[in-house]
Amino acid sequence: MKLTVLAATGGIGRHLLDQALARGHDVTAVVRNPAKLGEQPWARVVQADLATAGPAELRAAVEGADAVLSGLGAVGRAGIGVAEHGTRAVIGAMRQTGVRRLVVVSAAPVGTVPSPDRPHPPRHDPGEGPVLRYLLTPLVKRVLRAHYADLVRMEDAVRASDLDWTVVRPPRLTDKALTRDYRTAHGRNVRGGVSVSRADVAHCMLRSLDDPGTIRQVLGIAD
């Protein structure tokens, strides 16, 4: 399969790149700084700053791809806005080139965050237990308010597109090893799920490419 990976030097993006190459996929890695990839003889590399790039700059990166996988997300306050901007840009490039399949990573609390397209979201996610619902989720949403606002606008752009999309929403991310032993839930967060490894999120995103039941679906994921 021919894949394009956005933010391929990021926490999830690097796992997407490594796992996709290990499976024998033909991969194009889109990165702001190619030097961060190190020696990478097996992937085509396209340099682009996804905080500013437009569809025309990404067209060559996605043309001919079977799917685009995005690990976009802000690292620190300086990066806030990259998820929405970069995703809108790649959606534009995909429309221009006829590429249909898009898988993006978001975050578990986003389903209850208001957005321009969803000004009145549910107050609680059905997958949340009492501790998450009344303690952990409200706390995290206050601390990361701007990051989640960026992600929810990204999700708005994905939903408004005519693409075959999947949104994957993990809770707290860890650097634990790949287990393949994670839980998923359609349209809600995973009951009792508080963490998941970046490696397992990448595995789930790649696995969704072979599952038509994930098209135009939000997937919760957790250990």
Side-chain angles (χ1 to χ4, degrees):
M1 193 177 292
K2 189 173 182 180
L3 305 178
T4 298
V5 176
L6 304 185
T9 57
I12 291 173
R14 190 64 196 234
H15 286 289
L16 284 169
L17 177 62
D18 291 346
Q19 291 181 32
L21 290 172
R23 295 183 190 190
H25 295 302
D26 180 354
V27 183
T28 295
V30 181
V31 296
R32 183 173 60 85
N33 182 3
K36 288 187 176 181
L37 279 176
E39 182 103 18
Q40 184 52 263
W42 307 114
R44 174 177 172 240
V45 179
V46 173
Q47 184 174 8
D49 185 346
L50 293 164
T52 59
E57 295 169 73
L58 298 176
R59 179 170 180 142
V62 304
E63 193 159 22
D66 296 301
V68 175
L69 300 107
S70 173
L72 275 173
V75 179
R77 294 194 62 83
I80 291 170
V82 68
E84 179 190 8
H85 182 91
T87 302
R88 289 188 184 278
V90 81
I91 287 170
M94 292 173 71
R95 284 171 170 160
Q96 291 175 11
T97 57
V99 179
R100 298 284 311 161
R101 192 72 171 99
L102 174 65
V103 183
V104 303
V105 66
S106 184
V110 166
T112 57
V113 175
S115 73
D117 288 358
R118 296 174 70 238
H120 304 292
R123 289 188 61 193
H124 304 292
D125 187 282
E128 292 176 333
V131 174
L132 281 172
R133 178 172 295 186
Y134 299 112
L135 179 62
L136 296 182
T137 297
L139 176 63
V140 170
K141 285 166 69 174
R142 283 197 298 272
V143 173
L144 298 176
R145 182 178 303 170
H147 292 76
Y148 291 150
D150 182 21
L151 290 174
V152 79
R153 290 192 300 267
M154 175 199 74
E155 287 197 15
D156 282 352
V158 170
R159 280 197 180 89
S161 75
D162 58 353
L163 302 177
D164 297 331
W165 53 265
T166 303
V167 173
V168 178
R169 289 182 183 161
R172 182 176 63 87
L173 294 167
T174 74
D175 289 322
K176 293 180 180 179
L178 174 67
T179 70
R180 302 178 181 86
D181 185 24
Y182 51 83
R183 298 174 291 153
T184 60
H186 283 239
R188 62 177 179 83
N189 294 334
V190 174
R191 186 75 174 176
V194 296
S195 67
V196 68
S197 73
R198 291 175 175 86
D200 278 338
V201 173
H203 184 273
C204 176
M205 293 172 72
L206 287 164
R207 190 173 68 173
S208 73
L209 298 178
D210 298 319
D211 183 359
T214 65
I215 292 176
R216 301 204 173 186
Q217 292 288 326
V218 171
L219 288 184
I221 178 174
D223 291 337

